[in-house]
Structures are given as C-alpha cells and as structure tokens.
Amino acid sequence: MAKSESELTWKDIEVGCIATEPGSAARYKCGDWRSQRPTYDFNKCIKCGLCQIFCPEGCIYQNEKGHFEANMYYCKGCGICAKECPTKVITMVEEEETDVNKNGD
Amino acid sequence: MSTKTGIEVSIAIGEVVKLTDADVIAAYPITPQTHIVEHLAELVSNGELNAQFIPVESEHSAMSACLGSAAVGARTFTATAGQGLELMHEVLYVASAMRLPIVMAVANRALSAPLSVWGDHSDVMATRDTGWIQIFTENGQEVIDNTLCAFRMAEDKRVLLPVMVHLDGFHLSHMIEPMLLPSQEEVDRFLPPNQYPLPLDPSKPLAMGDFGPPIVYTEAKWAQEYNLLNSRSTILEVWKEFSKVFGRNYSPVECYRCEGCKVLLFTMGSFSETAMSAIDNLRNQGIDVGLVRLRLWRPFPFAEVRNAFKDAEVLITLDRALSAGGPGGPVSSEIKSALYPLEKRPKVVSFVGGLGGRDINVSGFEEMVKRGIEISKTGSSKEYEAFGVRE
Ligand code: SF4
Ligand code: SF4
C-alpha cells in the first residue's frame, strides 16, 4: 500500500477492507483533531516518565536529551500528561489549524 | 445421478449442505427453521458430516461465529428465521462488508408483535439493505438447487459475498415433496473447493474488520456496492453451470404465460405456484393475464424487471410484507422505481397480503387480479390495497 489514505480510490481497497500489511495502522494520523497541544518547559523536567505512562495514546517518547515529549502526529491533546506531571513541565495551549498542518506531517 | 426422494424441504437442505462438505455450521434453532439445524446437528453427531457444529446461545452469536469461520476459509452455513434474523441484523452488514462467503437459509417468518411463527416476508425486507445476495424460491427443488448454487456464488473469487436463500416458513420449510436430491459426484463436479483469497493465517498476519475513518469509508462502501452489482454476471453464470450439470434453469425474473399479456401479476416465493393455477383459471375465463415471479431480490434485476413489464398495461403486485407508514410493499415500491424511467410503463396496482401465515388460495389470486384490473380503470386514493383484511 504505497498510496496515502487520501490518495486511495475505491479500486485500491483490499477485498473486505482487509489490512494485509502488519502495523499499517501507525500511518493513521489520529492527532489531527486535537483542540489543545502540550508545550514544555524542559528546565523543570526530572525525567520521571510519568507522562509517558499516563498518556492514553502512547505517543510520548524520549528525545535525544532524554526529555519526554509527545509525537504530534498522534497526540490527541487530552491534557492528561500536563495533569500528571509532578513538576508542572507541561502547559496545554490552544491548538491552531495551521499548527496542525505544520506538525506531524 | 440425482435420486428422486420424498423428503421434507428442511431435511433436504441439511442433506445438500452435507454434500457440500461444509466445515462449520453455527446456528440457533428457531421456528420454522428448526428442522434444518436439527438435521445438520444429527448429521454431524453421527459422523455423516465432518464439520464443527457450534450450538451458539443466540443468532447474534451464530452470525458472529460464521464471520470467524468464513474468515479462516472454512465453508460456512447457517439458517434462521424471523426474530432470529432480526437478532443477527447488525452482524449481517459485517458479513457482507467483510466479503465473507456465508450461506444462510432463511425460513421466512413474520415479525412480532403480535407473536407469529408463521410465514411472510417481513424478515426478508428488514434485511434488504444488508449487502447480501438474496434469492427467493418457490418449491423444495428450488430451495435445494439454490442452496447448492449459493455456495458457488458466495465463494466465487469475483463475488465473495454472503448469500441468503429464502424459503417460506411452513409453506416450504415443513413441506414434504418429491425432490431430485443430487449425488455426491454431481455436487463435487459442480462445486469447487472454497478458496478464500485472504484467510486468517498466523503465518501471514492480516487484520480484518478494521475501522474505516471518514477518509476511506466511502471508498470501502462503494467497492462493496460495485462488487454486489457486479456479482450479477457470476450469479447468471452459476445458474447456467447448474443447468449444464442438473438440467434445471434459473433466472433473476421468471415468467409464466406472460407472452403478449397486457395484464401481469407479480409475486415472489411459494405463493407463486398458487398464483400459476389462478392464471390458468383466469385464462380459461378469457382474462388475458400472465405471471412474473421474482427470483433474485439482491442485486435487484433492473434490466429483467423492465424487460418483463415494458409491454404490459397493468401490473398487479403482491408483497407479503408491509413497509409501515410507507408505500406498502417493499418489492412493489422498488418495481415502481425501476419502471419510472421508462417512457411507456404499466399502471401498477399494489397489494399487501399473506401476512403472518395468512393463506391466499387460487380463488384469492383470481379475486386479486380482477380487483387489480378494476382499480387500474377506476383509480384509487390509496397507495396500496391490503388484501384479505376483514372490514
Ligand atoms: S495531551 Fe494527551 S495524548 Fe497528548 S501527549 Fe499528553 S497525554 Fe498524550
Ligand atoms: S511527567 Fe513531567 S517531569 Fe516527568 S518526564 Fe514527563 S514532563 Fe518530565
């Protein structure tokens, strides 16, 4: 399945909509309808990993500096990470249409 | 060589399913389908049929088990009726959209309330838009012939859709008739092994029944619809192949003494045979009337319907189901919409009758035709006539 979802025609759909490629669901962009996004003040981060454990989307990864950060292709903006972070690293801010299009593509 | 046998239609269905060497039967007993699954359970338990019989706790589970079974490529059969068909309703859509070749006999039964175990087509019509291929039958022979054909249609790689074979509850399911039961050799010659192209297989992982977000749902549904419409040519081909092996012919719309008739009666299911006798009587009385019967309900045979009715002036339809608060009979209303684009089309007089096991006998059909001709002349303020209602 080389085509992206938006390029698929009805003729490209596998019989019965069967997904023949394991893991292809990872391509599904579920972060395109969030209304808020997490922002970070990494100076306060103690790298405890609680945000990663609590994130219902499983989209928080450690970046090269060891800080925990959301992959915006998948983040749904629920704010659970911000609520759970013990040192208040994360602040949720209003999402903007343009940001959604810029990030995670 | 087929053997002429006096046998109950339900038992004969079980015998034919045995000859197809079905792998899985998942079913819940419900009147008037009970004898079909009872007989299959017997055949499995005494070793005559090497299959898994799954005695599920409901029809919803029956159809769900059928999904799983068809998904691994097992030849899958089930049967139900009336309320049972309603209980499996949501899963019916899943079977067709997942393109799983399941064959189901439906012993047509009225829907409650009032509670009725007797026959009509309310259950059929409630499943009209589920995406299944649907075939009507008129007698025991047609039931078993089309059950056999249904497996070949469903499993054909160009089709891969579930098929319902409708038989009228009691009028057919419990009738003992002389039938030509096919031999194992004939069935093996006619029905190739089921080879589902993408079965569940641990060595080749795949995901079935995934969710379809708005970006692909429309394409997925259109792919399914295109395929259902396209199944028509394979359905015709299977009936042709059947005729080569067994010498009996089936087509989407079938006519009885229609040639040149200005008045046509239209029926489906077992009542058609009674209607034929009425046609004979009416012709003897000098009334120029023929009978057209619907065999293929889905995909709807637009071309054959238009062709059958194009020269008629009056068309009298009988539905054994009511579209409550709507145009009356569901089949009649589809016939009307199929005829609408024609420049010259017959006046359609719709009757709804034979509900909940109410019989319509030969003189009943004669009366219906005469009344239909009268209404075609006088007109009527009603969308349809309720036949046989005591005023
Ligand atoms: S906002 Fe929700 S989805 Fe996004 S990273 Fe935080 S917990 Fe995960
Ligand atoms: S919960 Fe807060 S402190 Fe802990 S890793 Fe996540 S951002 Fe850093």
Side-chain angles (χ1 to χ4, degrees), chain A residues 4 8 14 18 21 23 27 29 32 34 37 45 47 53 55 58 61 65 72 85 89-90 95 97 99:
Chain A
S4 76
L8 279 181
E14 189 59 82
I18 293 173
E21 190 193 333
R27 279 203 299 274
K29 185 178 183 177
D32 64 354
R34 66 176 166 265
R37 61 194 283 116
C45 179
K47 300 179 183 170
I53 289 165
C55 171
Y61 302 89
K65 289 188 181 147
M72 299 312 283
C85 173
V89 171
I90 306 166
E95 184 59 278
E97 287 287 336
D99 288 341

Side-chain angles (χ1 to χ4, degrees), chain A residues 38 40 51 54-57 59-60 70 74-82 92:
Chain A
Y40 303 88
C51 53
F54 277 103
C55 171
E57 195 50 49
C59 71
I60 297 179
Y74 303 114
C75 168
K76 290 176 174 164
C78 65
I80 289 174
C81 52
M92 299 303 291

Side-chain angles (χ1 to χ4, degrees), chain B residues 281-310:
Chain B
N281 289 353
L282 291 163
R283 294 290 275 262
N284 289 341
Q285 296 162 31
I287 299 173
D288 189 26
V289 56
L291 176 70
V292 179
R293 300 112 68 199
L294 185 68
R295 160 98 41 227
L296 184 64
W297 174 220
R298 281 294 185 273
F300 188 81
F302 287 97
E304 287 86 354
V305 161
R306 287 179 185 138
N307 191 48
F309 299 135
K310 66 179 187 325

Side-chain angles (χ1 to χ4, degrees), chain B residues 47-79:
Chain B
E48 281 185 69
L49 171 60
N50 180 18
Q52 286 285 327
F53 188 98
I54 311 178
V56 285
E57 77 279 20
S58 76
E59 286 83 1
H60 191 280
S61 306
M63 189 44 65
S64 301
C66 287
L67 296 185
S69 140
V72 298
R75 179 165 284 161
T76 304
F77 178 81
T78 186

Side-chain angles (χ1 to χ4, degrees), chain B residues 256-257 261 263-265 279 282-283 287-291 369:
Chain B
Y256 179 73
R257 301 186 72 174
C261 285
V263 180
L264 291 174
L265 176 64
I279 295 292
L282 291 163
R283 294 290 275 262
I287 299 173
D288 189 26
V289 56
L291 176 70
V369 168

